[in-house]
Structure formats: structure tokens, C-alpha cells
Amino acid sequence: LKKNSLKWQIAIYLGTFAAVLISVIWIFQMFLLQPMFEKSKISAVKKTADTVSEAILSSEEDLNEAIYDISLQNETCVRILTSNMTVTAGNSGCALYRMKGRELKENIDNAVENGGSYLNTKTDPGFELNGRELKEITYTKIIDNGDDLNVVMVYTGITPLNATTDTLRSQLKWITLIVVVLITLIIIVLNRKIALPLSSITKEAARLPDGAYHADEKNNQYREAQQLNETLEQAAEDIRKADQAKRDLIANVSHDLRTPLTMISGYGEMMKDLPGENNEENLQVIIDESKRLTVLVNDLLDLSKMQAGRITLELTDFDLAELIRNEIRKYDVYQYNESFEFEVHLPETAMVHADEKRIQQVFNNFMTNAINYSGDSRKVIISMTLENGHVRTEVKDFGEGIDEKNLKNIWDRYYKVDKQHVRFSSGSGLGLSIVREILDLHDAEYGVRSKMNEGSTFWFELPLIQK
């Protein structure tokens, strides 16, 4: 189901809001104005009756003056009678004084039957305004002041609001027109400030799979659009890097496969065609290149399986310090043949719970990397420290080092910091990628510290087995 575009969503939401707002105003003014006005007048007569009652009970000295003020304030008429229908106070001249005795008695009797108060609402057929009859409200309240019963009667009239309604109707038409114009302008502004930049970003984002996204500063109308632009631009840059890494991967794998295959093929043909070359030395070259091929293929398979989550760790308890001591012995050949110096600082024991073969693989990759990038110093320091229930293993070389901007990329497949300063190696170029995958599977901490012309230190950390 195709969704509406953002500009139409904005128009629909704001249009709906305006329609609801105008409808509510029209309903209140056209249909609820008269009932609400009547309710307020009823409240006014009851309030007047209560105030006058308090004045009677408190024996107000100038009761007529108090009644006048109250009546003026609430636009009401007040009449006070005794139980025998004798008028004691009030403001003369209103409809209460034109009320016949029978009608007075009827209101008082209804008040007595009703528990002390009675509200009488009726229309006056003798008075009309714009086709509507005047509505009269009479409120009767009985007061027992101890000596006698007093009757407080409060009257007010409700004039029809035809003229007011007509005036409001005319105003509401203009208000409706103004609201429609304002909502239209708001929709246009929001579309230009929000919808159009997002539409432009979306159109440009269609080029993202090719890594060709370019952020337009004109679309940075607000912070979220700017952040989206920056995120997509970073994604495009990552796609370009990933695409370049894919091409580099193919090129490097092809090169690493072709080189030993060429050596094997060349030496094989030479041994076949030249009987004098069929010797142990040439045969060893073929064996070495075959091993190199095996290492490369195994590393590719391992990395692929790890990234696909198809590798299961075989966790056991073992002594990491003993493991590293045994592994370092394998590198004695570099001391004898190439004058390497290995400085070792290991504790007596460091028991961990991990996959022994995979941790061995991690250490050997760090060692291979240190040897390849040791430069002319030919010195490598292997150290292990125990702290806070963890054991940290470090392999430090004194080579060219790694520029800070390249540190985050060294764990990528086939990433080469500087090919000029690397020694010849039979490694696959996937070592640090494999290290990352193995240590991530162990939820282990790892990293690298490096300074240019001072060397690099690769490390990983595992929790010790608590005795």
C-alpha cells in the first residue's frame, strides 16, 4: 500500500486540525451559546438568593441597600416576604411586584414541598424579540430565622440572543476565512522547510548504493535534516570504502593465490624438463608454497565461518602463561637466522576459561604482525599482567608505528598500513580480521596503541578463573 508523501500528510493533519477547531467554535457559538447563557443566569439568581439569605440571617441593618447592590451586580430583582405574604424588603419595579398572589403562593408552596427552594422557568408570551419569546426565571427560597419564616424570591429575564448570534455568525465567517488562509500559509512554509528538504534528501539517497550521495547544504533547514544528511553522507563514504575493500580483497586474494601457484607450477615444470633440477631444495619450495596456499585458504574459510556465526568455541580451562611460553619457542628460528630479540615478561601461571586453539591463533597472529612490522629494530616484547581479576597479554614491536587515523581500519581484511615497511611474510593478510572475530566471540577486550616511529602494541584481555 503506497503511503502519502510528507507534504500531503502535513496538509491533511493541519487541514483536519483547522476543520475540527472551526467546527468546535461554530458549535459552541451557534448551538451552545443560548443554553450556556441560561445556565449562567440560573446560577446568578441562586447566588443572589444565597447572598440575600446570609444578609437576613446576619440581621443586616440596611437590608434594602444590600439588596439593591446585589441585584445590580447580578442583574436580578429581589423580593422578601413573610409567611403571611407581607413584603418586608426588596427592589420595586420588577416583574415580582406584578406577580399575583395566587402565583406567589404557588411558588412558595412548591419551595416548601421541594425542601426549601424552587426554580420556576417560563416564557412570557406577551414579550417577543426577533420572533423569540422572553424567558423568565424565578427562584424561591425559604429561610427560617427562628422567629418566623422569610421567603426570598429572585427574578431575572433571559432575552433572546438572536442579534448576538447573528453578529457572531458574521464574525465566525471571517474567522473561518482567516484560519483557512493561515493554515494554507503554514502548510506551504512547512512543506518548504520540512517536506522539500526531506524529498530532496530521499531523491539523493537513491544514489546511495553506488556510494554517490552528496549532501546539499540547502537541505539543512533544521537539525534533524542536517543529521540525516551527515548520516547518509557517512554511509555513502562507508559504502565507497567497503566497495574499495571488496576490490582490494579480490585483488589481494588473487595475488596471494597466484604467487604460490606460479611458484609451484614453475618449479614443477623446471623439475620435469631439467633432470638436474629434480632436487630436494626445489621440492621444498613446492612444499612451502603449498603450505602457504593452505594457510591462505584456511584463513579465508575461518574468517568466513566466523563472520557467518558458524564457528563454535570449544571452551576449556588452561594456563595462558604456559601456552604463550610454548608458542614463543616456535619463533626461536627468527633469533638464530635474523637476529631478532624477544623480551618476555610472563607470570608463573594465568588460568583462563577460553578456546585454547583460538587464543593460540590470536597470539600467533600478533607475533607474526610484530615480526613483519618490527622494522630495523628486530625487537619484540611479549608481556602479561594480572590486574582486577583479568590477564592482559601484550605484544609490542618497535617499527614504524601506525598513524592514528588508520588505527580503526587495521582490523579490516587485507588492510595495509604501509606496504613499504613490511617484511616478506607467508601470512595471509587476514590475521587481524581473524583476531577480531575470535576475541569478539570471547567477549574479550582488545586493542592497539601506536605512535609513529615508536612502534605498536597489540593486546587482548581475558578474565582469570577465580579460585
Side-chain angles (χ1 to χ4, degrees):
L1 183 64
K2 191 174 182 180
K3 301 286 186 180
N4 290 326
S5 65
L6 180 60
K7 65 179 182 180
W8 284 111
Q9 293 282 20
I10 292 174
I12 290 171
Y13 291 146
L14 287 178
T16 302
F17 170 75
V20 171
L21 178 63
I22 293 171
S23 299
V24 169
I25 294 174
W26 274 86
I27 289 171
F28 268 92
Q29 299 300 333
M30 295 296 99
F31 302 105
L32 300 179
L33 183 61
Q34 186 75 27
M36 292 176 70
F37 179 62
E38 290 182 11
K39 188 175 180 180
S40 69
K41 296 295 283 185
I42 291 172
S43 177
V45 296
K46 289 183 177 181
K47 180 180 178 182
T48 300
D50 291 340
T51 306
V52 171
S53 299
E54 291 175 3
I56 293 172
L57 293 173
S58 62
S59 301
E60 184 79 30
E61 293 183 1
D62 194 348
L63 187 57
N64 281 320
E65 184 68 25
I67 290 173
Y68 177 80
D69 292 340
I70 296 168
S71 300
L72 189 64
Q73 182 179 353
N74 295 309
E75 297 181 352
T76 57
C77 168
V78 178
R79 189 177 184 184
I80 302 174
L81 303 93
T82 60
S83 57
N84 58 5
M85 308 291 288
T86 302
V87 178
T88 60
N91 48 348
S92 59
C94 69
L96 285 176
Y97 289 87
R98 298 192 299 272
M99 192 176 291
K100 296 179 181 179
R102 180 178 54 81
E103 190 175 355
L104 287 172
K105 187 175 185 308
E106 184 180 334
N107 279 291
I108 294 171
D109 291 343
N110 286 330
V112 173
E113 293 176 2
N114 201 43
S117 64
Y118 173 67
L119 180 69
N120 182 21
T121 304
K122 65 177 184 176
T123 56
D124 186 356
F127 182 84
E128 287 189 1
L129 182 63
N130 295 329
R132 288 191 177 183
E133 297 175 342
L134 174 68
K135 186 173 285 188
E136 297 179 330
I137 298 175
T138 304
Y139 183 68
T140 305
K141 185 173 183 180
I142 308 298
I143 305 171
D144 186 358
N145 61 357
D147 298 331
D148 193 8
L149 293 179
N150 287 314
V151 180
V152 178
M153 300 186 72
V154 183
Y155 168 88
T156 189
I158 301 177
T159 56
L161 298 178
N162 299 41
T164 304
T165 304
D166 291 340
T167 302
L168 288 174
R169 185 180 289 111
S170 176
Q171 291 179 345
L172 284 175
K173 290 177 181 178
W174 284 104
I175 291 173
T176 301
L177 179 61
I178 292 170
V179 169
V180 169
V181 171
L182 287 176
I183 290 295
T184 303
L185 292 175
I186 292 173
I187 290 172
I188 292 172
V189 171
L190 289 179
N191 279 333
R192 287 183 177 177
K193 295 294 184 181
I194 297 177
L196 287 181
L198 287 180
S199 178
S200 176
I201 291 172
T202 302
K203 190 177 297 182
E204 185 67 21
R207 304 170 60 195
L208 196 60
D210 300 325
Y213 182 86
H214 296 288
D216 189 346
E217 291 293 330
K218 292 187 296 184
N219 293 329
N220 296 338
Q221 299 285 347
Y222 49 98
R223 185 175 60 188
E224 286 77 7
Q226 182 179 359
Q227 290 174 344
L228 179 59
N229 246 337
E230 292 171 354
T231 300
L232 291 175
E233 196 168 29
Q234 183 60 48
E237 179 65 23
D238 291 342
I239 289 173
R240 287 192 290 269
K241 288 181 179 179
D243 190 55
Q244 182 62 43
K246 180 178 68 176
R247 289 194 292 268
D248 291 345
L249 175 63
I250 294 172
N252 284 318
V253 169
S254 299
H255 176 269
D256 285 349
L257 287 173
R258 184 174 60 247
T259 300
L261 285 173
T262 301
M263 296 282 287
I264 292 170
S265 175
Y267 274 82
E269 289 181 2
M270 181 177 66
M271 292 171 66
K272 174 184 175 184
D273 297 337
L274 302 173
E277 296 296 329
N278 192 357
N279 53 49
E280 186 175 339
E281 182 180 351
N282 292 337
L283 187 60
Q284 187 61 46
V285 171
I286 294 176
I287 293 173
D288 290 342
E289 293 303 319
S290 298
K291 290 180 179 179
R292 183 179 173 187
L293 269 177
T294 301
V295 169
L296 174 61
V297 172
N298 286 339
D299 282 352
L300 282 170
L301 289 174
D302 278 351
L303 184 59
S304 176
K305 288 178 181 178
M306 289 176 188
Q307 292 180 336
R310 296 199 301 268
I311 291 291
T312 303
L313 296 178
E314 297 179 6
L315 301 176
T316 58
D317 296 344
F318 65 93
D319 188 346
L320 180 60
E322 185 64 26
L323 170 69
I324 291 178
R325 266 191 289 268
N326 293 333
E327 291 302 308
I328 291 174
R329 295 190 185 100
K330 298 178 181 179
Y331 297 92
D332 288 346
V333 63
Y334 289 98
Q335 298 186 72
Y336 302 140
N337 297 340
E338 300 187 39
S339 301
F340 265 85
E341 178 187 352
F342 296 133
E343 186 178 319
V344 182
H345 304 281
L346 299 176
E348 184 178 345
T349 182
M351 295 300 296
V352 297
H353 183 70
D355 188 321
E356 186 173 0
K357 290 183 179 179
R358 295 298 178 183
I359 296 301
Q360 177 184 0
Q361 193 175 358
V362 168
F363 176 73
N364 285 326
N365 272 308
F366 278 176
M367 284 296 294
T368 302
N369 193 71
I371 290 170
N372 289 342
Y373 288 92
S374 61
D376 296 332
S377 71
R378 297 178 181 269
K379 179 179 180 180
V380 177
I381 298 177
I382 303 100
S383 63
M384 183 180 289
T385 55
L386 308 178
E387 187 175 353
N388 297 326
H390 288 73
V391 54
R392 173 176 288 211
T393 304
E394 296 186 348
V395 178
K396 176 177 177 60
D397 66 70
F398 295 87
E400 291 292 319
I402 307 169
D403 195 337
E404 186 177 354
K405 66 181 180 181
N406 295 322
L407 285 176
K408 65 179 181 179
N409 300 319
I410 61 172
W411 308 98
D412 296 340
R413 290 175 294 182
Y414 275 112
Y415 184 80
K416 297 290 193 300
V417 175
D418 186 357
K419 295 180 181 179
Q420 179 181 355
H421 299 284
V422 64
R423 298 173 63 256
F424 170 77
S425 172
S426 60
S428 65
L430 300 170
L432 292 180
S433 294
I434 292 173
V435 164
R436 178 184 61 185
E437 296 297 332
I438 292 173
L439 294 176
D440 282 342
L441 285 173
H442 281 83
D443 291 326
E445 297 289 334
Y446 61 93
V448 57
R449 302 188 305 273
S450 185
K451 288 186 179 180
M452 294 301 296
N453 301 316
E454 293 185 16
S456 304
T457 302
F458 286 84
W459 60 271
F460 68 93
E461 196 172 275
L462 293 171
L464 289 166
I465 296 176
Q466 301 299 324
K467 296 182 180 179

